[in-house]
């Protein structure tokens, strides 16, 4: 069996996500960290759901719980693992670099460091597609925003202060682009998060890290091969462009036969299927039970 795991980032969280997820110890621990009794009911409140600290803590905890419930049903281990933005915390755990409890504890600290930066310069993210690269670069420079995430082809996400994002969106729409403001209230993966990356790096200095047990690909540093590079990459990506296009290429080079996205929505699975149509990808949100997910993986990864 040869498959890859991709862990989602924030922005597509919704109350009906992961419909098969059981209320286990990791889920209960996540709710306790957030001071809530029912995470689905909490997500029904858009204001609560879009808060950076709530989203990062919840999505990391639920991703850890989801993989914890799936892993006993799936043999062998994945051939490759990657995480999108905050999804790297769960990805590093799934690859054996940090313990699940450590990843869960780090999520609110990561969010706190980012929120401190955002308090000084409120910002966000803007997805843009359907525009040429030269035109995109022109409006990016003129608006004063940065490239936060490269998804491949004409699909990018810009980040920056709110006023600058409004200017970028206005110019992009005038140029015929499609624009979507993401449900994220910080300028993730831009230089406005540099102090957050430095703060998180200091936090990670005392955290036990291990060499990955499977091929692990980072948003900021290609393949992670040892503990020190993992520690550096996990902090650096907060203020650097997420090179998701390269992550997908690196995973594809492992010659996996299928891909499973763990987290809310199907964004990563859709991007994968557009880029690599010969290797099927599905999202956990597509299924009603862990057994169904394991059966799908087995039916494709064993070919």
């Amino acid at each position: 069996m040869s498959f890859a795991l991709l862990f989602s980032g924030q922005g597509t969280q919704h109350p009906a996500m992961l419909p098969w997820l059981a209320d286990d110890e990791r889920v209960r621990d996540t709710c306790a960290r957030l001071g809530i009794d029912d995470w689905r009911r909490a997500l029904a409140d858009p204001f609560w759901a879009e808060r950076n600290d709530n989203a990062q803590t919840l999505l990391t905890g639920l991703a850890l719980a989801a993989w914890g419930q799936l892993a006993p049903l799936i043999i062998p281990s994945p051939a490759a693992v990657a995480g999108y933005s905050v999804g790297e915390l769960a990805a590093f755990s799934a690859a054996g670099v940090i313990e699940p409890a450590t990843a869960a504890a780090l999520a609110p600290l990561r969010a706190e460091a980012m929120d401190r930066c955002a308090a000084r310069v409120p910002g966000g993210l803007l997805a843009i597609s359907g525009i040429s690269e030269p035109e995109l670069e022109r409006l990016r420079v003129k608006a004063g925003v940065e490239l936060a995430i490269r998804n491949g082809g004409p699909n990018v996400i810009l980040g920056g202060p709110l006023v600058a994002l409004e200017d970028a969106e206005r110019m992009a729409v005038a140029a015929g682009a499609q624009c979507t403001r993401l449900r994220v209230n910080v300028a993730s993966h831009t230089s406005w998060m540099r102090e957050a990356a430095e703060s998180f790096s200091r936090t990670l200095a005392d955290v036990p890290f291990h060499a990955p047990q499977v091929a692990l690909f980072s948003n900021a540093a290609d393949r992670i091969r040892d503990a020190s590079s993992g520690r550096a990459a996990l902090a650096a990506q907060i203020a650097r462009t997420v090179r998701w296009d390269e992550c997908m290429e690196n995973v594809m080079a492992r010659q996996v036969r299928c891909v499973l996205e763990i987290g809310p929505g199907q964004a990563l699975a859709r991007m994968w299927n557009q880029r690599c149509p010969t290797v099927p990808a599905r999202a956990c949100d597509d299924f009603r039970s862990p057994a169904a997910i394991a059966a799908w993986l087995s039916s494709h990864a064993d070919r």
Side-chain angles (χ1 to χ4, degrees):
M1 180 184 287
S2 177
F3 70 97
L5 288 180
L6 305 180
F7 287 88
S8 314
Q10 68 194 90
T12 57
Q13 56 270 24
H14 58 95
M17 62 183 276
L18 302 173
W20 49 269
L21 188 66
D23 187 20
D24 66 4
E25 183 177 352
R26 286 196 179 105
V27 172
R28 291 190 292 272
D29 176 71
T30 300
C31 288
R33 288 181 188 278
L34 291 165
I36 58 176
D37 296 322
D38 185 333
W39 63 270
R40 295 190 189 278
R41 186 167 62 242
L43 277 180
D45 176 358
F47 178 77
W48 188 95
E50 293 174 16
R51 276 186 46 174
N52 190 51
D53 53 349
N54 292 338
Q56 293 200 32
T57 301
L58 180 68
L59 295 181
T60 300
L62 295 185
L64 293 167
W67 178 236
Q69 293 174 28
L70 285 171
L73 305 178
I74 301 169
I75 298 175
S77 299
V81 178
Y84 190 90
S85 190
V86 71
E88 281 204 333
L89 286 172
F92 275 48
S93 175
V97 175
I98 53 178
E99 295 298 322
T102 300
L106 286 173
L109 299 178
R110 181 183 188 272
E112 180 183 358
M114 297 173 74
D115 284 340
R116 285 197 298 269
C117 289
R120 290 191 291 274
V121 183
L125 298 176
L126 173 70
I128 296 181
S129 61
I131 189 172
S132 69
E133 290 188 15
E135 182 68 13
L136 175 68
E137 181 62 13
R138 184 192 69 79
L139 74 84
R140 185 195 68 75
V141 172
K142 187 173 182 180
V145 294
E146 296 180 7
L147 181 59
I149 301 176
R150 287 182 357 208
N151 286 323
N155 302 310
V156 301
I157 295 177
L158 303 179
L162 294 178
V163 172
L165 282 183
E166 291 171 2
D167 290 341
E169 183 171 7
R170 185 175 59 255
M171 287 186 281
V173 170
Q178 293 78 51
C179 300
T180 303
R181 289 290 289 272
L182 302 191
R183 296 169 60 190
V184 176
N185 52 26
V186 295
S188 308
H189 315 298
T190 70
S191 61
W192 286 278
M193 290 289 113
R194 184 174 295 117
E195 290 184 16
E198 294 170 352
S199 174
F200 198 54
S201 178
R202 292 191 292 272
T203 296
L204 296 180
D206 297 325
V207 174
F209 271 61
H210 311 283
Q213 298 173 5
V214 301
L216 173 65
F217 297 104
S218 162
N219 295 171
D222 298 318
R223 184 171 179 180
I224 301 301
R225 297 184 180 276
D226 54 43
S228 61
S229 63
R231 186 180 283 108
L234 197 58
Q237 61 106 285
I238 292 176
R240 290 187 189 172
T241 301
V242 169
R243 307 191 320 253
W244 191 246
D245 51 352
E246 293 181 14
C247 281
M248 288 190 287
E249 288 298 323
N250 286 332
V251 170
M252 188 64 181
R254 302 297 296 177
Q255 298 183 325
V256 297
R257 293 178 178 172
C258 64
V259 172
L260 179 67
E261 176 183 357
I262 297 182
Q266 299 88 15
L268 301 186
R270 283 198 301 269
M271 281 191 279
W272 179 275
N273 286 325
Q274 291 168 0
R275 191 179 187 90
C276 312
T278 60
V279 178
R282 294 285 300 275
C284 280
D285 260 10
D286 295 338
F287 297 90
R288 305 301 299 180
S289 72
I293 297 172
W296 179 81
L297 279 176
S298 179
S299 67
H300 288 80
D302 287 338
R303 291 178 180 176

